[in-house]
Amino acid sequence: MSLFEKFEPIAAARRALAESGVESINVVMEQVLSPTEALIEGRRTILAGTNNYLGLTFHPDCVQAARRALKSEGTGTTGSRAANGNYSGHVALERELADFFGVRSVIVFSTGYVANLGMIATLTGPGDVLLIDADSHASIYDGCRLSGAEIIRFRHNDPADLDKRLRRLGERAARTVVIVEGIYSMFGDRAPLEEIAAVKRRHGAYLLVDEAHSLGVLGERGRGRAEEAGVEADVDFIIGTFSKSLGAIGGYCASNHPELDLVRYANRAYVFTASPSPSVIASTRSALALLRAHPELRRRLWEQARRLYARLSAMGFRLGPEPSPIIAVRLVDREQALAMWRGLLARGVYVNLVLPPASPDGGSLLRCSVSAGHTPEQIDQIAQAFAEANATGAPD
Ligand code: PMP
């Protein structure tokens, strides 16, 4: 058996997609026109699968800050902060994030994936326990695997199941990290954090919340699901990303634990990889300032999200459980999902195609993500394209 035989299932899946005329993982945006539009196959296309929740990727403040940093500090840091030293922007961003979250300290990572991987694998090891929501993101699963800790899954969004499992752990609960997400990335549902925090408190465990999809989206100040639920004091570690609401790339962990700085230097995913480029840090700082200064961005995002959810729901589509900037349209099977995805693209609408085994419950779905940058007209065009693609499939 060659090294590559194990990739045969992937090759077969790709062949099947190609045969059905869907090259969803090879979509090329020939020209990106704005946070919500690109040219795809020469066609002006509305982007509804970006995670660009606040639509800040072209904001003049972010672009100008990045441009200035590029000019004054160069294209890259060319190494790890632990080895090569700190650029002042990285330190300033950590301070600003700590101020935003009202916590003692923050570590900036090169991506959100790396933030989860590094934090989980460093915080826990053999003898510790990771109690994670079954629908957790791949970066959480990978961090768990790398840690060497015992991994236990609890039923998605089920505080009673979490409670039962923590009770069984007895004294080991004190060495357990519970991991959940603020908003789940496939169906857009929120974690019942009020109950989860109460369970965590009762058993004396730690709580890590991945707010990748909820930063800038939930909470009065945009701090995420923990803020919205009023349980920030119970969250030991907040993980997040710069790649969604903040429109760049990078990740962070925010915590009130004074030991966070020790975790930083024990963290191989921090120590042994290059820190983000100065321009990325600069645009992220500007985006964070905009997020803080303009709550109306969040309001606009929710108006458009509710509008699309209502439109699709009225057309009879089966959607995720609640309105959210992530709107999952559930389809009967893979064939219907492929035909709809193709039909939408042909009508100038790009969404994410999610096929088994990528979706949490093995279903086939089209995942839309809404942006504050979408106009009501664009939302109506997206809904219209769904109606037409559903009725007729792909136009000739
Ligand atoms: N956590 C969750 C829940 C995510 O959805 C993602 C990205 N899709 C990440 C972490 C990783 O973030 P990044 O893109 O910054 O690596």
Side-chain angles (χ1 to χ4, degrees):
M1 174 163 164
S2 90
L3 268 184
F4 300 111
E5 268 172 51
K6 57 178 156 313
F7 301 109
E8 184 44 38
I10 295 178
R14 289 196 60 184
R15 276 196 300 276
L17 279 181
E19 276 161 23
S20 62
V22 173
E23 295 277 7
S24 57
I25 51 174
N26 288 331
V27 167
V28 177
M29 300 188 191
E30 290 130 18
Q31 198 186 335
V32 180
L33 304 168
S34 75
T36 59
E37 280 192 313
L39 282 188
I40 299 177
E41 297 172 0
R43 192 181 302 111
R44 212 179 168 97
T45 300
I46 300 174
L47 302 175
T50 60
N51 304 320
N52 196 349
Y53 297 122
L54 300 185
L56 294 178
T57 45
F58 281 78
H59 194 286
D61 290 7
C62 300
V63 173
Q64 193 186 41
R67 201 176 264 153
R68 276 209 195 111
L70 192 59
K71 207 150 181 212
S72 62
E73 296 176 273
T75 53
T77 63
T78 66
S80 151
R81 289 165 63 185
N84 294 23
N86 297 287
Y87 281 54
S88 61
H90 294 63
V91 178
L93 176 56
E94 286 178 345
R95 235 185 359 251
E96 288 156 9
L97 280 167
D99 177 62
F100 174 60
F101 284 112
V103 297
R104 198 187 293 247
S105 39
V106 166
I107 306 175
V108 162
F109 290 90
S110 301
T111 69
Y113 177 94
V114 162
N116 268 332
L117 196 78
M119 284 307 300
I120 298 168
T122 309
L123 281 171
T124 61
D128 301 325
V129 182
L130 288 157
L131 196 34
I132 68 174
D133 186 285
D135 285 3
S136 291
H137 187 259
S139 56
I140 294 173
Y141 273 99
D142 293 353
C144 291
R145 238 180 263 149
L146 194 60
S147 72
E150 183 180 349
I151 306 162
I152 303 172
R153 301 190 309 167
F154 66 94
R155 259 201 310 273
H156 176 56
N157 272 355
D158 188 339
D161 193 41
L162 173 66
D163 186 42
K164 185 177 78 188
R165 290 171 194 277
L166 272 171
R167 203 170 332 114
R168 274 192 207 142
L169 283 168
E171 284 181 5
R172 291 181 74 205
R175 296 184 61 173
T176 296
V177 182
V178 174
I179 303 182
V180 299
E181 296 174 26
I183 292 183
Y184 283 84
S185 58
M186 287 295 160
F187 294 119
D189 50 337
R190 305 170 203 207
L193 261 195
E194 298 86 347
E195 291 95 324
I196 288 172
V199 171
K200 166 258 168 170
R201 238 185 351 254
R202 197 157 58 242
H203 293 280
Y206 293 88
L207 177 60
L208 183 155
V209 181
D210 179 343
E211 301 264 25
H213 293 273
S214 27
L215 170 73
V217 171
L218 296 178
E220 194 154 334
R221 296 179 193 80
R223 296 202 295 240
R225 177 68 187 120
E227 186 196 8
E228 184 189 53
V231 298
E232 287 173 293
D234 293 307
V235 178
D236 296 279
F237 307 99
I238 297 170
I239 300 269
T241 175
F242 304 152
S243 73
K244 304 187 195 300
S245 287
L246 297 176
I249 182 168
Y252 60 88
C253 174
S255 177
N256 243 333
H257 286 283
E259 296 87 352
L260 193 72
D261 228 35
L262 298 175
V263 179
R264 179 194 297 267
Y265 293 108
N267 202 316
R268 296 170 68 85
Y270 175 88
V271 173
F272 293 106
T273 196
S275 64
S277 292
S279 54
V280 163
I281 295 292
S283 81
T284 302
R285 290 179 65 193
S286 284
L288 179 64
L290 290 163
L291 184 161
R292 299 181 80 165
H294 295 284
E296 72 275 13
L297 286 173
R298 204 153 41 257
R299 278 199 294 278
R300 217 179 297 154
L301 167 67
W302 276 95
E303 273 166 28
Q304 306 313 335
R306 290 203 184 92
R307 188 180 183 93
L308 185 59
Y309 192 91
R311 290 272 191 287
L312 295 175
S313 176
M315 289 173 195
F317 285 108
R318 282 196 310 138
L319 307 178
E322 54 181 315
S324 148
I326 300 169
I327 301 175
V329 179
R330 293 167 173 278
L331 298 162
V332 275
D333 56 22
R334 183 188 157 81
E335 281 60 44
Q336 194 198 12
L338 289 170
M340 285 279 291
W341 184 85
R342 213 165 351 110
L344 287 170
L345 196 60
R347 289 174 174 85
V349 172
Y350 175 79
V351 300
N352 309 122
L353 173 65
V354 184
L355 297 175
S359 58
D361 60 2
S364 297
L365 53 102
L366 297 178
R367 175 189 180 274
C368 308
S369 75
V370 178
S371 168
H374 282 128
T375 61
E377 293 72 30
Q378 286 177 317
I379 295 294
D380 293 346
Q381 285 168 34
I382 297 168
Q384 181 64 21
F386 264 94
E388 289 175 19
N390 193 37
T392 58
D396 295 331

